[in-house]
Amino acid sequence: MIMLEGVTKQYGTRKSLQDISYTFEKGKVYGILGPNGSGKSTMMKMIAGLVYPTGGKILVEGKPVSRKIAASLAFLSTEGMLYQNFKVEQMIHFFATQYPDFQREKAEELLAFMELDRRQKVSRLSKGQQGRLKLLLVLSRNTDILLLDEPFIGLDPMVRDMIVKGLVSFIDFGRQTVIITTHEINEIEPVLEEALLLDNGRITAFCNVEEVREKDGLSVLEWLKTNVKKEAVL
Amino acid sequence: MSAEFKTSKPIYSQIADRIIQQFVRGELHPGEKLPSVREMAIQSGVNPNTIQRTYGELERLGVVETKRGQGTFMTEQNEMKLKLRHDIQKEMIEAFIESMRSIGLNDHEIYESVNQSLKRSDHES
Amino acid sequence: MVFKGLVIKDFLLIRMYLFTWLAVLIVLYTAGASFAAYQKQFYLVFPFLLVLYVGHTLVLPVTAGILLKAEEKGQYWLHGTADGKRLLSSKLIVSTIVLLASLLLTNVLMAFSLMAANGESQLAFLEGQFPWVEGVLFNGGIIFSAFYLTTWGLFLWSLFHSMAQSPALRKIRWILIIAVYFITQTVIVRVTEWSAVKAFLQSWSIQIESPLSSTGGMNEISFTMDSNGLLVWPLLLSCAGFCLLFFAAAWLLDRKVEV
């Protein structure tokens, strides 16, 4: 369980996150939606213990989060994960040494699934292949929490589809708490259970994905649009 | 083959509809084993909890049976297939009639046009 | 396991630079030596080698700089099970390996030049002896200076990135970094000028028998060397200072540097 209690992050006068309170329940799949600059990435980095709140608390399993959380949390970040002059297998080897819960067999399975060549250099991989390699690296770990920051950014629809399949195949549903940030919602909507809308550093709406369909007859994308509009009117 | 989903309906019931249709068309046979929750989730690219709900719903309707430790199977009762076909048929016809009326046709005109169309397609085949 | 993985990673990051640099050294030396031999004045190779040696003070900080630069984008290296001490010491160890490899090659080139020059004409200042003591001292001086620059570099780098989260500090962090360095230096210089401190620093020295003992020219060496020989206290205190800078850098990395 991840609890955010009145979390604020301030950079000078600019507030990246404002008084966020929310609880992520264990074993569920969450989507954080919102435009660029809404504070999605900051929120992810905070849960990963890599950015510290200016105000409020973040508790994971009741304990304040720190950099040590990395032992039980896998984080796919938008930048800095891959070393350009490494081969795919060297990246895998490096991750295996850094995280005791890294599973070699799972990495092998994912290598085949993601159609990656272990001898290729990272710098020679296409954007889509790099995205798949990043996913391989985090999905090979056996963690309680999985954070995916913009896993679809810059990828073409075919690759996105593949990544969604990868997620469904390799996430340990019911045990892993998964948080995905994205602004390309369509592909992952069927994977999500809960959706949050972040705008200007605040959670402006949240919903259960199937409930929105059932009660309002809306997809999350449409729900998102109506909520953004309401905001704009206010 | 993760199919597209309509927005107006929960995903779990859309997958349930799909299974029922396959059963009625004969693509799924009575007593046939369905993929496991996980396999089905991967095939359709959805959260396994959704499939869990789909199977639960189908079981409640009596379309599938879950055997402990073995998996989920299509029902072997033939009446169920007939009933489901009847349900779908009824649903489709009602929808058809409704849209015909909405463009201004009366019952007689609907009947006539269906009759003519049926004769024509008979002729062609 | 974790630490070994870090060291291998850092070595892989620097490998191409290392091989390229060693090749450049050989090419530079060959060019210099050929020129000296062509002029029929082979001893000209020695000033040239001296420049290469002095340049080695920069090998360590530059290598460490390249290794830190590789992590700067996103600072994802902080998302791991290793703490700041391990992260930084891996960088320092790999940089030291690079320095030692480069220094070793330069020493081999130096020894080769000495032997070549000796065969040609007896070098007066050597009195027929191979300069072991000078060599060790000189190498030691270079390594000492290199660590001085690098530990300061690591500390200031961490400090620089610690200030990123505050926009007010962010704008003037270059100035602050420079200020921190110069203020510390000034304080140290002032303190060492006090006669009591001076006396203490010179109270323990080791005599070194060397025909060349008066020719040392580098600042960093003159700090720990004088006509009496090697001063032990300044050397030990400097090393303690390096450790302090290193641990301060690691502390900042763990607590203050944000992604």
Side-chain angles (χ1 to χ4, degrees), chain C residues 3 23 49 57 67 73 79 87 94 122 127 133 154 158-159 166 183 205 211 236 238 243 250:
Chain C
F3 189 66
L49 272 168
T57 7
L67 287 173
K73 203 179 173 200
H79 174 68
L87 290 174
V94 170
Q122 290 284 321
E127 296 161 356
V133 179
L154 287 178
S158 287
L159 193 61
S166 154
I183 290 169
S205 69
L236 287 180
S238 302
C243 292

Side-chain angles (χ1 to χ4, degrees), chain B residues 98-110:
Chain B
E98 197 181 320
S99 45
M100 284 296 118
R101 281 179 179 159
S102 78
I103 60 168
L105 270 70
N106 64 34
D107 289 4
H108 182 70
E109 284 167 330
I110 295 170

Side-chain angles (χ1 to χ4, degrees), chain C residues 172-184:
Chain C
I172 51 162
R173 54 185 174 159
W174 276 111
I175 300 166
L176 289 174
I177 291 294
I178 294 166
V180 166
Y181 178 77
F182 281 105
I183 290 169
T184 317

Side-chain angles (χ1 to χ4, degrees), chain C residues 34-167:
Chain C
S34 317
F35 175 76
Y38 179 74
Q39 297 288 320
K40 301 224 185 315
Q41 291 172 307
F42 192 66
Y43 64 86
L44 281 178
V45 82
F46 293 109
F48 182 73
L49 272 168
L50 200 69
V51 172
L52 283 187
Y53 267 115
V54 174
H56 268 79
T57 7
L58 292 177
V59 169
L60 189 70
V62 168
T63 309
I66 292 170
L67 287 173
L68 289 175
K69 196 83 197 153
E71 315 285 3
E72 252 173 26
K73 203 179 173 200
Q75 303 275 19
Y76 189 81
W77 68 325
L78 297 178
H79 174 68
T81 47
D83 57 7
K85 267 178 289 185
R86 287 198 204 159
L87 290 174
L88 286 181
S89 48
S90 161
K91 302 266 179 221
L92 202 56
I93 285 171
V94 170
S95 308
T96 308
I97 290 171
V98 170
L99 171 66
L100 293 181
S102 177
L103 210 49
L104 184 69
L105 177 64
T106 314
N107 284 332
V108 167
L109 295 175
M110 183 58 148
F112 171 77
S113 308
L114 280 172
M115 284 191 283
N118 230 2
E120 205 173 80
S121 60
Q122 290 284 321
L123 288 172
F125 62 87
L126 280 179
E127 296 161 356
Q129 287 199 340
F130 196 79
W132 288 109
V133 179
E134 291 76 10
V136 169
L137 277 180
F138 197 46
N139 275 273
I142 287 164
I143 292 170
F144 181 85
S145 317
F147 268 88
Y148 169 86
L149 291 175
T150 308
T151 47
W152 264 108
L154 287 178
F155 172 68
L156 294 177
W157 183 88
S158 287
L159 193 61
F160 182 79
H161 285 283
S162 303
M163 291 190 277
Q165 43 175 317
S166 154

Side-chain angles (χ1 to χ4, degrees), chain A residues 9-12 45 50-52 67 70-71 73-75 77 79-81 83 85-86 90 94-100 138 141, chain C residues 1-2 5-6 9 12-13 15 70-71 73-74 76-84 87 165 167 253-259:
Chain A
K9 178 64 183 178
Q10 204 161 344
Y11 294 98
K45 287 168 189 165
L50 295 167
V51 165
Y52 318 105
R67 206 152 88 54
L73 177 151
F75 177 39
S77 82
E79 54 173 15
M81 263 185 93
Y83 295 112
N85 69 333
F86 276 38
Q90 288 171 329
F94 173 60
F95 265 67
T97 62
Q98 296 307 297
Y99 308 103
V138 292
R141 292 188 56 197
Chain C
M1 180 72 172
V2 173
L6 285 175
K9 180 258 295 181
L12 286 174
L13 283 175
R15 191 174 51 172
E71 315 285 3
K73 203 179 173 200
Y76 189 81
W77 68 325
L78 297 178
H79 174 68
T81 47
D83 57 7
L87 290 174
Q165 43 175 317
L253 197 61
D254 271 341
R255 285 167 189 81
K256 297 290 173 211
V257 176
E258 291 194 358
V259 169

Side-chain angles (χ1 to χ4, degrees), chain B residues 8-93:
Chain B
S8 50
K9 224 174 166 184
I11 293 170
Y12 83 90
S13 68
Q14 290 185 52
I15 296 172
D17 288 351
R18 226 177 266 167
I19 291 172
I20 290 173
Q21 276 168 19
Q22 286 176 341
F23 184 53
V24 170
R25 278 196 227 111
E27 291 163 22
L28 283 170
H29 303 290
E32 188 173 334
K33 189 176 188 288
L34 286 169
S36 72
V37 168
R38 201 170 175 93
E39 283 163 11
M40 192 64 164
I42 295 167
Q43 275 178 29
S44 7
V46 305
N47 192 304
N49 288 333
T50 309
I51 303 295
Q52 197 75 59
R53 224 172 141 191
T54 301
Y55 283 5
E57 183 69 9
L58 289 174
E59 194 166 10
R60 200 180 57 80
L61 295 171
V63 182
V64 302
E65 280 169 52
T66 300
K67 293 178 191 164
R68 254 173 188 277
Q70 290 180 56
T72 306
F73 298 84
M74 293 310 296
T75 179
E76 296 197 50
Q77 293 169 310
N78 233 341
E79 317 86 80
M80 180 50 77
K81 187 170 171 177
L82 294 175
K83 179 189 171 293
L84 289 169
R85 185 161 72 192
H86 184 251
D87 287 351
I88 293 178
Q89 175 192 340
K90 207 174 131 200
E91 207 175 290
M92 285 170 135
I93 288 176

Side-chain angles (χ1 to χ4, degrees), chain A residues 1 7 55 76 82 84 104 111 115 145 173 178 209 220 222:
Chain A
M1 199 162 80
V7 171
L76 183 144
L82 304 175
Q84 292 299 315
R104 288 293 191 136
L111 207 53
E115 294 167 11
I145 302 168
F173 291 92
V178 184
V209 175
V220 170
E222 290 163 331

